[in-house]
Amino acid sequence: MPPHPRTAILNARLLDPDSRLDQRGSLLIDGGKIADHGPGLFRDGVPEGVEVIDADGACVAPGLVDLRAQVGEPGHEDNETLKTASQAAAAGGVTALACLPDTDPVIDDVAGLEFIARRAREVRLVKVFAYAGITRDLGGKELTEMGLLAEAGAVGFTDGGKAVADALVMQRALSYASIWGRPILQHPEEPRLSGSGAMNSGEIATRLGLSGIPAHSEVIMLERDLRLVEATGGRYHAADISTAESVAVIRAAKRRGLKITCDTAPPYFTLTERDVGDYRTFFKLSPPLRGEDDRQAIVEGLADGTIDCITSDHLPWNQDAKRVPFAQAAFGSVGLETLLPLTLDLVHKGHMSLLDALATVTVKPAAILGLNLGRLRTGAAADLVIFDAERPWRVDAEALHSKSKNSCFDKHPVQGRVLRTLVDGRTVFTLAPARAG
Amino acid sequence: MRFPHRHLLGIEGLSPAQINTILDLADTYVDQNRSPNKKSDVLRGKTVVNLFFENSTRTRTSFELAAKRLGGDAINMSVDGSSVKKGETLLDTATTLNAMHLDVLVVRHPESGAVKLLADKVNCAVISGGDGAHEHPTQALLDALTIRRNKGRLDGLTVTICGDILHSRVARSNIQLLNIMGARVRVVAPPTLLPRAIGELSVEVHHDMATGLKDADIVMMLRLQMERMQGQFVPSVREYYHFFGLDYEKLAAAKPDALIMHPGPMNRGVEIDSLVADDINRSVILQQVEFGVAVRMACLDLLTQHGRNDPA
């Protein structure tokens, strides 16, 4: 037995968005880390005792780092468990994810973080990081023990799907969190304006007789927050940008030098409110699917770098939560297993280069979380995804690894398939040959 | 010794020479207070009224003792016993007091600027016993006396003030005085307990005790009000103590002979560890109380010299 298991990946298209590497070659993994890579590697053959993976020309890139996912634990194990979420992540090429604190109980103390860390060690598939709440019980009033939580490993603070509505609380959170260099993630939505709305305000909501969530509900909160960032110098990340106005506001803020980041999720550059169609609850998302102009603006925002990251926004719900009248249905869609192909869609449609698109799901989210991940370089953890960027397939919700099947991309044709996923050099997912065709 | 000011409302506006005048005179009163006969007749025939619109035990007692040690007549008026509760305005109170022919009025008020408002309307000398979050000049002077008697000087020393700077009049007066006297001032607190423009008051701003206390000569801890630790300004007592409470581990960053000060009353286990607070080699907290009486005697003396025989 050699001291470390060694693995060689041959015939690969090596991709690293950080160093702009796009090159045919091979890669050697030793002891869970990338030991070497390049075109000339193994020219004289692979040494004895090294496991060989033939990529057969497929892409080898850093594993995806997902900024926001719900893993169901603690408290929502009927929708998802940390194990099924990890399996879904592995199948989607996601090697690290940050899970949200809107659980039951919520994660607003050190014990909650320790619980997630312990479960992640037990499941041991992908790397699982956790946010803690900005406020106690995610109640929007009292700050959590951010210093102790940061020391215990919180990668950032967020009240998850709830916005911190009170401006003074948000101002204090931004100031206070800045000491520990952790970002504050806000779901920008003015709760009073969104009210009990079920879908985007507009013609379709009017026709369907559903109460609307106005686009300005998002941009009002966003603009308020940007003023607070200017006042405090805090680290702010706007989650799930969905409107054209939001993109414009963030673009302008970045131009005047404000250090902020934001993300969106595949539904917002792929689908529109029209997809809600005939009260289809699987398309009930928060923020809601918007209009075509908004969708195009999100694409432009991604293309010009205004939007930093694409997240899975993975939010699993069992059937009961969705098989109800639209207004009563839960918000959200699973997304871990469709993140990569839908991101690649931006490449296939010519909006972004392959490396730029990959950056939004690897090195950029890793940087926001302060994680030394998402890079393909010697010495880095061998967290890798091997994928065929061209292979067409059709999403089948029933075939998803996630415990819940509430995908807004069911039956959606996509292009780009994860073949294999490795975490610290360990294979955690291989596409079954039966489905490989 | 001449003191040109009619009132003592704050440290702002005092010159280094004037501050030294107060401290030099206070030194002599430290001796008087330690002697068997503690009483003199400097204030004989003078009336000093302590008018406190805010609860206070130590400051009021200290002023009362100071007036009595100097042979003056001291009367305490607290909010409950005054006409304020009956709806009298601050300016009505002033004219009422004028009619009583006072010599010195010591005022504490919860609103910044209220002491000044009174001082403008009364005929006697006014000493601020603390106004809002603005100034507490006698506290800064007694702190300065404590430092000077222990270190022999103020200039060139590094003084770190830790804690709730935002709400603290003690911090504001100390920042003024220490800068006037040539000390280097640092503040350490979470950003939620710092005024936004604190960096413009000639202080170094730190959020980390390790850097803020590094090589400090003096560590001044401030009291953190309990109601500010429930998730508004600070998430919890536990977190505050962990990051900002003074214990031996954090104190190790300061100079080995750094002195520990606290204006009192202390929250043990919140802003300061009990062992540190009681360390007879490092803590000068009880000296601060002792020198407080002497400093207040000096202030009463100087502000009533007008009309007395000039020693020169």
Side-chain angles (χ1 to χ4, degrees), chain B residues 69-83:
Chain B
R69 291 255 167 96
L70 293 175
D73 298 314
I75 291 169
N76 292 323
M77 285 176 68
S78 62
V79 169
D80 289 341
S82 80
S83 312

Side-chain angles (χ1 to χ4, degrees), chain B residues 243-257:
Chain B
F243 292 103
F244 297 99
L246 187 68
D247 55 16
Y248 279 115
E249 205 183 319
K250 299 191 190 83
L251 184 59
K255 284 192 181 154
D257 61 348

Side-chain angles (χ1 to χ4, degrees), chain A residues 135-410:
Chain A
T135 60
R136 284 185 205 171
D137 294 325
L138 313 187
K141 290 192 170 68
E142 297 169 354
L143 298 184
T144 56
E145 294 169 316
M146 290 180 172
L148 298 173
L149 289 161
E151 282 193 345
V155 287
F157 301 99
T158 179
D159 279 359
K162 277 192 201 168
V164 176
D166 186 313
L168 182 60
V169 172
M170 192 59 169
Q171 176 171 298
R172 286 183 180 150
L174 285 163
S175 321
Y176 195 75
S178 68
I179 321 178
W180 289 281
R182 299 294 195 285
I184 295 277
L185 273 76
Q186 168 89 308
H187 172 82
E189 181 170 38
E190 167 50 54
R192 296 282 294 158
L193 292 176
S194 294
S196 58
M199 72 172 292
N200 189 41
S201 271
E203 182 226 319
I204 296 175
T206 305
R207 210 158 32 74
L208 293 176
L210 291 171
S211 57
I213 300 170
H216 62 258
S217 170
E218 180 170 305
V219 78
I220 282 173
M221 187 59 88
L222 191 58
E223 288 194 301
R224 182 206 75 174
D225 285 348
L226 296 184
R227 297 288 168 191
L228 295 176
V229 173
E230 276 175 278
T232 58
R235 266 189 71 193
Y236 178 81
H237 177 92
D240 260 347
I241 292 306
S242 70
T243 74
E245 277 296 314
S246 300
V247 176
V249 161
I250 289 170
R251 185 179 287 130
K254 284 186 167 187
R255 272 199 195 131
R256 61 173 195 271
L258 208 55
K259 297 255 180 292
I260 49 157
T261 52
C262 70
D263 70 63
T264 190
Y268 306 109
F269 58 80
T270 312
L271 309 172
T272 68
E273 59 187 339
R274 302 218 158 267
D275 290 290
V276 172
D278 193 17
Y279 303 99
R280 294 199 290 172
T281 56
F282 281 44
F283 293 83
K284 183 176 176 184
L285 308 177
S286 175
L289 290 169
R290 307 286 188 181
E292 175 59 17
D293 290 349
D294 294 302
R295 189 194 68 78
Q296 286 179 20
I298 297 292
V299 171
E300 283 162 28
L302 283 162
D304 72 5
T306 298
I307 302 175
D308 302 87
C309 306
I310 302 174
T311 71
S312 75
D313 204 13
H314 187 77
L315 187 45
W317 285 109
N318 61 44
Q319 295 250 337
D320 298 340
K322 288 288 192 180
R323 302 276 184 228
V324 289
F326 196 90
Q328 292 167 18
F331 289 98
S333 167
V334 292
L336 281 164
E337 292 167 78
T338 46
L339 176 59
L340 181 62
L342 291 160
T343 300
L344 291 173
D345 196 46
L346 295 164
V347 181
H348 296 308
K349 293 208 166 96
H351 299 302
M352 295 179 88
S353 73
L354 179 57
L355 287 176
D356 285 343
L358 285 175
T360 66
V361 286
T362 56
V363 66
K364 283 183 170 183
I368 288 166
L369 299 177
L371 301 172
N372 189 19
L373 297 173
R375 295 180 179 88
L376 192 153
R377 66 170 177 207
T378 300
D383 297 351
L384 300 168
V385 56
I386 306 178
F387 64 97
D388 180 340
E390 310 299 328
R391 187 183 302 185
W393 58 292
R394 192 175 285 274
V395 177
D396 174 9
E398 287 311 309
L400 295 176
H401 293 71
S402 181
K403 188 169 176 183
S404 289
K405 313 299 181 189
N406 59 309
S407 173
C408 61
F409 292 108
D410 189 26

